[in-house]
Amino acid sequence: SEFTRAALKETSALRELDLEDNRLDDEGALALAQGSLLASVRHLRLGYNDICDEGLCARKRFSAMRISAFDDDLFGAASYARFRVRPGEDASCLNLYQAKNPKLLAPEPGFLADGRFSFGRTLADTEAEVANPWLLLDRQFDDGAVPAIADATSLAYALHLSVGDDFVVNRESDNPITLRIVAALTDSIFQGELIIGQRPFVRLFPEHEGYRFFLIDAPADATAGVTAALEDRLSDYGFDVTLASDQLAAFHRVNNTYLATFQTLGALGLLLGTFGLGAVLLRNVLERRRELALLRAVGYDARDVSRLVLVENGLLLFGGLAAGTVCALVAIAPAWLARGGQFPVVSLGGLLLAVAAAGLISSLAATVVAVRSPLLAALRSE
């Protein structure tokens, strides 16, 4: 311990200290954590040493001193993808306005080769591009347009574009740049950005050097540790980690808000339509009281008349439901086939049954009223 203190007296001006694989034990870690020897150190590497349970209090001391003391083997199971960044406006649904100059990302070549994420529509021509649409970012156009990839949701609802359309950035500058959408990602975390290749990015934006956006793939049980370690070690650089699930949830909250609004309006319309259906069926039966009274006078009993009215109204009711269901399926088929997902059979079936039940109950109630009405009064008017 005395040797450790003496050896570290000269480290008072260091910001980083690497003590990996130095046979540092619990006693040495405790000695290291005492006093003010590490007043200026912010990043301390202690991996591959012999620090056991007794050294945990030393780690807590390092944390209290705002010194990162995580083992580097924590990052061994994680993989990283780096992106160059040109700052710009958010192109996702979180932006209430249409982005005129969106944020641009440029991944390193290794990310393109991995072929991650799922795609919708693309301009792929070759088998390699069909198998990995990221390769479309390497395509060259005769008119000088730069290939770009965007999320399908942002493309349709925020930018109002489709695959194959052009989008001009730096429109008001002396050097406008035309981006051509060559592929659309499906429900991805890139809803706020446009993605271009690294070579055109370096050529067009040489002032934006280095990598400032990272994708980190870590095992589920190591996610919390990797997140804490990165934010701690890179705190001086403003490094902030956001879980992909949280990012997608933020996008989905906006979409779900719109869907909930339209579902509420649709439910209100369905409720009014159901009451209207009941009123129409009730009025139809009441206006036929004289006809029904005549049927009873010639020998039909109340049960036969009720069955006749229910069958007539049932044919109209189920015919209307079938026609409406077919029209609705035709209307949503393109979006459903493009995005996929599970078809809501249970909820849709329950909704149709509820409407059918409301119509049949209305018809039955009207029939009961008509059958129980005075027969002679109805026949006199007939």
Side-chain angles (χ1 to χ4, degrees):
S1 299
E2 295 298 330
F3 174 78
T4 303
R5 291 193 183 95
L8 293 176
K9 285 182 179 179
E10 299 179 359
T11 66
S12 58
L14 292 179
R15 298 286 292 174
E16 297 188 10
L17 182 60
D18 187 356
L19 294 177
E20 287 186 347
D21 197 14
N22 274 273
R23 298 181 181 179
L24 191 66
D25 56 8
D26 291 335
E27 185 179 0
L30 291 172
L32 190 64
Q34 295 174 359
S36 58
L37 297 176
L38 305 177
S40 64
V41 174
R42 286 295 174 264
H43 306 307
L44 176 62
R45 296 183 176 89
L46 295 174
Y48 307 104
N49 283 295
D50 298 325
I51 303 176
C52 301
D53 294 340
E54 296 180 3
L56 291 178
C57 57
R59 291 178 179 271
K60 294 180 180 179
R61 172 62 177 165
F62 294 147
S63 178
M65 297 170 64
R66 302 186 67 181
I67 297 176
S68 171
F70 291 88
D71 295 334
D72 281 350
D73 54 1
L74 179 66
F75 305 104
S79 59
Y80 308 86
R82 304 177 300 174
F83 293 73
R84 298 179 184 270
V85 180
R86 194 216 68 164
E89 301 171 0
D90 187 359
S92 71
C93 55
L94 300 177
N95 187 359
L96 296 178
Y97 304 96
Q98 183 178 3
K100 301 297 183 181
N101 199 22
K103 181 180 179 181
L104 299 180
L105 299 180
E108 58 184 351
F111 176 80
L112 303 184
D114 291 340
R116 299 188 178 189
F117 295 91
S118 59
F119 285 81
R121 184 186 172 193
T122 69
L123 296 182
D125 293 332
T126 65
E127 293 183 1
E129 291 175 345
V130 172
N132 183 8
W134 287 110
L135 299 179
L136 290 168
L137 293 180
D138 295 330
R139 180 179 291 187
Q140 296 182 356
F141 294 102
D142 295 335
D143 57 357
V146 177
I149 293 177
D151 185 86
T153 302
S154 298
L155 203 61
Y157 301 110
L159 299 176
H160 305 291
L161 298 173
S162 60
V163 174
D165 291 344
D166 291 345
F167 185 84
V168 180
V169 297
N170 294 344
R171 189 185 302 269
E172 299 178 356
S173 67
D174 297 334
N175 185 28
I177 301 171
T178 301
L179 304 181
R180 183 158 299 157
I181 307 300
V182 295
L185 293 162
T186 303
D187 195 23
S188 71
I189 59 175
F190 296 110
Q191 295 187 26
E193 303 89 13
L194 296 180
I195 304 174
I196 65 175
Q198 184 167 236
R199 283 185 295 179
F201 185 96
V202 174
R203 174 173 54 86
L204 297 171
F205 309 105
E207 67 276 11
H208 298 290
E209 300 178 351
Y211 299 91
R212 292 187 291 162
F213 181 88
F214 303 87
L215 289 183
I216 305 167
D217 186 9
D221 56 349
T223 300
V226 171
T227 299
L230 287 173
E231 290 186 339
D232 181 75
R233 291 189 178 186
L234 300 176
S235 59
D236 293 342
Y237 303 97
F239 197 88
D240 181 56
V241 178
T242 302
L243 294 178
S245 57
D246 294 342
Q247 187 68 39
L248 282 175
F251 294 140
H252 291 165
R253 275 195 297 270
V254 178
N255 296 336
N256 292 336
T257 300
Y258 283 108
L259 292 177
T261 301
F262 287 115
Q263 284 180 343
T264 302
L265 295 176
L268 179 60
L270 179 62
L271 182 63
L272 294 176
T274 302
F275 281 113
L277 173 65
V280 169
L281 294 177
L282 180 62
R283 181 176 179 178
N284 182 39
V285 174
L286 293 178
E287 288 180 348
R288 297 173 59 191
R289 282 182 299 178
R290 292 175 295 179
E291 176 186 344
L292 299 178
L294 181 60
L295 290 176
R296 291 185 60 193
V298 297
Y300 288 90
D301 58 12
R303 183 179 302 175
D304 295 332
V305 173
S306 300
R307 186 183 301 112
L308 176 64
V309 174
L310 287 177
V311 170
E312 290 179 356
N313 290 337
L315 289 175
L316 293 175
L317 179 62
F318 286 104
L321 287 176
T325 302
V326 171
C327 293
L329 292 177
V330 171
I332 67 172
W336 182 56
L337 293 175
R339 297 191 177 188
Q342 185 177 3
F343 193 78
V345 178
V346 177
S347 59
L348 181 60
L351 185 64
L352 294 177
L353 288 177
V355 174
L360 292 177
I361 291 174
S362 301
S363 299
L364 182 60
T367 304
V368 171
V369 172
V371 169
R372 292 183 178 180
S373 61
L375 181 61
L376 293 178
L379 288 175
R380 288 194 188 99
S381 60
E382 180 65 19

